[in-house]
Amino acid sequence: MKNILFRTVAAVLVSGQCSAFAQDLAAGEKLYQGSCRACHGPSAQGMASFPKLSGKPAELLVERLQTYREGEKVGPNSALMIPHATKLTDEDIENIAAYITTSFP
Amino acid sequence: MLERSLISKTLPYAAALAGSLAFAVPAVALAANTTSLQHSVVLEGLQAPWDMAFLPDGTMFFTEKCHGLSVLLPSGEVNKLLGMGGAEGYATTADDLVCEGQAGMNGVAVDPDFEENRRIYVYSTSSMSEPRTNRVLRLEVNEDLSDVSNRTDIVDDIPYKVAESDHPFGGPGAHNGGRIRFNPGDGFLYVTTGDNHNSEIPQSPTIMGSKVLRIDTDGNAAPDNAPPEGFDQRTYTYGHRNVQGIAFHPQTNTPIIVEHGPWHSDEITVLVNGGNGGWDPRPNMAGREDCPDDYCGYSPNQMEGMNRYERAAFMPMTDLQTYPDAMKPIWDNNGWSQGSGSAEFLTGEQWGDWDGAMVVGVMGIGFGGTPIGQRIDVVQLNEEGTEVVDVTEMTLPMEAGRFRSVVQGPDGSLYTAVDEGMIHKLTPSAQ
C-alpha cells in the first residue's frame, strides 16, 4: 500500500500537473504492456516505424491519445492507434501517460 | 554475458493447421524435439539492428537501420564502418544514405570470395537519385576491418515509397524489402524488394519492386534468369508483396522466401525461376472496385480488423484465380499476418532434430484480433524442401522481441537481431 501511494504521488509529481485523476502507475503499466509495448518497445524507445515515447511530456501523450480516441488521424500509424485508443477512458490515458513519463523519462 | 539454458518444446500446431490453410498444404505431423538452448547477448543498445553477415572467423558485420554498417571483431571490439547521413563516429559517412519508416540500411552480405576481394554488400535507401531509391552498394573493407572504400552501387533503381498514403503503416519507406543473400549453389546475389504500397509494382515487368532479383556482383542479371518476355532480366521472381526473408535449402540450394502478409497469410514460398508470387493489389480487377489511394492491399475494411479468411478471399496474398500458375506457398502462418520477415536454415548435428530445419523470425504487434506473434518458428520441410511437415515455436531462453533477422554463424549458433536493439546468440547444448 505504501509503495502504491508513493508511486501514485510520484506520477503526479513527474507529470507536473493536477489532473482529475490520481494516476495509477500499476494500471498504466498493465495497459502499456498489453497495448503499447509490442510496437513502442519494452522501454518505450520506439521500434521500426513505431515512434519513441520515452522523454515525451505527459501532456503530449495524453493529447495524442485523446486525438486518436476521437478517430482523428495523426501520422501514418493512425490506423493502428485509433482502435487501441478508442477503448481507453480518460483515466486509462492518464495512467498510461504517467507510467511512460515515470518509467521512461 | 547473460547465459541460461532452457528446454525447447514442440507446440501442437497440427490441429490448427488442418482446418486453416487456404491452399492444399498436407497435414502436419508433430515431431519431438528436445534441443536445449543457451543464450547470450552479443550486442545491445543498438539502433534498430536489421541484418548480420559473418566471416569464417566469427567477425560479424551488422547494419543499424538509421545509423549504418559496423563490424564486431572476434576481440569484441566494434568498428563503425559506413555511416548514413547524420550518423556520427563512422570511419566513412555517406550523406545520401537515409532512413524513413521501414526503409534505411537493411540487408548485408559478404562476398563468397571475400578473402580475395574484401567485398561486402549492403542494401540501403539513398537520396542520390530523385526520387529516392533503394540501392545495393558494393564496398571493399580494408585489412584491419576499420574502414570501407570503393563504393560501387551495383543496383540503383529499386523503388522507395516517397509519400504517405491512406493505408495502415502508410508512411514513407513502407514495404521496402531489403534482404540480400548469396546463394551458395549458384554464387549469385539475391535481392528482395517490396511493393511500396503501389499497386502497379508487383506485376510490373520493369519496376524492380516486388521482385527477387538475381544478379552477379556487378549488378548484371544472372544469365539463366527466366522472367516472362518483356521483364527486366534481373528478375528471378515477381508478384511479391514485401519480401524480407530468403534462405537457401541446405541440400538443394533452392531459394525459399518468407513474406509479410496483408492482415492475413504470411507466406513461405519455394521460388521457381521466372515465377509469379501472385500478389496483385490493383483496384478494379479480380472482383474489386476502387480502393484507397489505388491500392487494395489492405482492403476491404483496411482500418479495422476482420476475419482473416474473408479478407484473404477478397484480396488474396497469392491470387490463384487470376494467376493459376503462380507459385503456391507452402505455409501461410495459419492464415495470420504477424510480420514473418527473416529466414535461415539451421545446419549441423548440434541442432539435433532441427538440423536442416528453417527458422523464421516473426515480429507481430497484434492488431485487429491478430495475436501478438514475437517468436522464432522452426519450420521442418520434407526431404526435397517442397513441403512443410512441422512447425515448432522455439521456446526462448530470453525475452521475446521483434525478430528482424536470423543468421547462423560460423560457430553453428543462431544469431538473431531484434528491433528492441539487441543481437542475441542462441547455442544448442547437450542435455
Side-chain angles (χ1 to χ4, degrees):
Chain A
M1 179 61 78
K2 195 174 181 181
N3 189 39
I4 292 172
L5 180 63
F6 169 77
R7 294 177 76 180
T8 303
V9 171
V12 173
L13 290 173
V14 168
S15 68
Q17 61 176 350
C18 291
S19 71
F21 306 102
Q23 292 97 335
D24 182 340
L25 286 184
E29 179 176 11
K30 188 176 179 186
L31 286 165
Y32 183 86
Q33 297 295 334
S35 298
C36 314
R37 176 196 166 114
C39 296
H40 294 287
S43 308
Q45 78 278 25
M47 296 193 297
S49 55
F50 309 119
K52 173 182 176 179
L53 302 178
S54 59
K56 298 276 175 28
E59 293 82 357
L60 175 65
L61 298 173
V62 169
E63 183 271 333
R64 197 55 60 85
L65 281 170
Q66 288 173 338
T67 304
Y68 284 128
R69 189 174 60 182
E70 295 302 314
E72 294 177 33
K73 293 182 180 177
V74 186
N77 290 325
S78 298
L80 305 177
M81 286 303 301
I82 290 169
H84 282 295
T86 302
K87 303 170 191 164
L88 300 175
T89 64
D90 286 346
E91 192 171 3
D92 291 336
I93 289 174
E94 296 275 1
N95 289 340
I96 292 171
Y99 172 69
I100 293 170
T101 52
T102 304
S103 303
F104 315 115
Chain B
M1 292 284 183
L2 305 172
E3 294 225 355
R4 60 190 171 122
S5 63
L6 196 66
I7 304 296
S8 295
K9 64 184 180 187
T10 299
L11 296 181
Y13 273 77
L17 275 172
S20 64
L21 295 187
F23 302 97
V25 177
V28 168
L30 288 174
N33 186 281
T34 54
T35 303
S36 62
L37 298 174
Q38 290 186 328
H39 164 243
S40 60
V41 175
V42 179
L43 291 169
E44 57 188 336
L46 303 177
Q47 188 281 324
W50 212 95
D51 202 12
M52 299 84 76
F54 289 88
L55 299 180
D57 68 353
T59 296
M60 181 181 79
F61 296 98
F62 64 95
T63 58
E64 294 170 272
K65 190 184 69 176
C66 293
H67 285 182
L69 172 71
S70 300
V71 62
L72 172 65
L73 305 180
S75 65
E77 184 183 356
V78 172
N79 289 339
K80 294 184 167 187
L81 301 175
L82 178 65
M84 305 170 72
E88 295 179 352
Y90 286 82
T92 296
T93 301
D95 288 336
D96 67 299
L97 303 183
V98 293
C99 77
E100 175 83 44
Q102 299 167 19
M105 190 173 286
N106 300 139
V108 57
V110 172
D111 194 294
D113 295 322
F114 179 86
E115 201 171 329
E116 284 76 39
N117 62 29
R118 309 289 300 177
R119 287 176 172 176
I120 62 171
Y121 304 80
V122 293
Y123 180 113
S124 182
T125 307
S126 165
S127 61
M128 193 178 291
S129 308
E130 178 58 39
R132 292 175 176 181
T133 61
N134 291 294
R135 293 169 173 247
V136 179
L137 283 56
R138 189 181 73 203
L139 305 159
E140 290 180 24
V141 188
N142 65 1
E143 281 299 320
D144 64 359
L145 296 161
S146 63
D147 201 356
V148 292
S149 61
N150 292 335
R151 168 180 165 179
T152 302
D153 295 0
I154 63 171
V155 181
D156 63 5
D157 59 348
I158 298 167
Y160 162 85
K161 183 181 181 186
V162 175
E164 181 179 342
S165 61
D166 181 15
H167 303 106
F169 309 101
H175 287 196
N176 201 58
R179 200 71 64 183
I180 56 176
R181 289 287 183 270
F182 280 96
N183 185 338
D186 61 23
F188 289 111
L189 183 63
Y190 289 64
V191 180
T192 74
T193 69
D195 74 8
N196 299 183
H197 289 157
N198 179 340
S199 64
E200 295 299 322
I201 287 180
Q203 300 294 323
S204 166
T206 54
I207 305 174
M208 290 288 95
S210 295
K211 309 288 187 292
V212 175
L213 282 60
R214 185 170 68 155
I215 56 176
D216 66 18
T217 55
D218 292 321
N220 302 309
D224 293 340
N225 286 353
E229 191 174 348
F231 271 64
D232 188 307
Q233 282 298 309
R234 294 171 295 176
T235 304
Y236 186 71
T237 56
Y238 65 103
H240 300 293
R241 181 174 180 272
N242 185 27
V243 186
Q244 290 194 336
I246 185 167
F248 305 94
H249 189 274
Q251 266 76 53
T252 66
N253 294 312
T254 302
I256 301 176
I257 60 164
V258 172
E259 195 167 0
H260 300 267
W263 289 148
H264 66 83
S265 311
D266 291 335
E267 288 186 348
I268 298 176
T269 305
V270 179
L271 296 187
V272 176
N273 190 2
N276 183 358
W279 174 246
D280 190 352
R282 283 178 288 189
N284 301 303
M285 61 167 291
R288 296 182 296 272
E289 298 179 348
D290 289 340
C291 293
D293 285 343
D294 291 328
Y295 180 84
C296 297
Y298 297 98
S299 294
N301 198 19
Q302 70 169 13
M303 294 304 181
E304 294 177 32
M306 64 178 284
N307 181 285
R308 60 195 190 279
Y309 298 113
E310 289 178 30
R311 198 185 285 283
F314 183 87
M315 181 63 251
M317 181 70 170
T318 301
D319 186 350
L320 292 168
Q321 281 197 310
T322 306
Y323 304 105
D325 295 331
M327 299 175 289
K328 295 179 185 175
I330 60 171
W331 173 246
D332 76 348
N333 192 24
N334 296 321
W336 295 115
S337 171
Q338 296 177 302
S340 299
S342 54
E344 175 67 299
F345 278 94
L346 301 176
T347 56
E349 293 179 355
Q350 74 277 13
W351 288 106
D353 288 349
W354 290 351
D355 182 9
M358 187 180 195
V359 284
V360 174
V362 187
M363 304 181 287
I365 57 172
F367 175 74
T370 301
I372 289 178
Q374 300 189 351
R375 63 180 192 268
I376 298 174
D377 279 347
V378 181
V379 181
Q380 292 183 312
L381 307 178
N382 64 358
E383 203 166 316
E384 297 77 28
T386 55
E387 291 178 5
V388 172
V389 296
D390 181 64
V391 178
T392 303
E393 180 178 340
M394 187 180 283
T395 299
L396 297 166
M398 76 288 193
E399 195 171 14
R402 303 192 77 228
F403 293 100
R404 178 67 63 180
S405 181
V406 284
V407 180
Q408 182 167 306
D411 59 353
S413 296
L414 180 67
Y415 292 75
T416 179
V418 293
D419 279 355
E420 286 81 354
M422 290 175 278
I423 297 176
H424 299 283
K425 175 181 173 181
L426 297 169
T427 304
S429 60
Q431 294 176 55

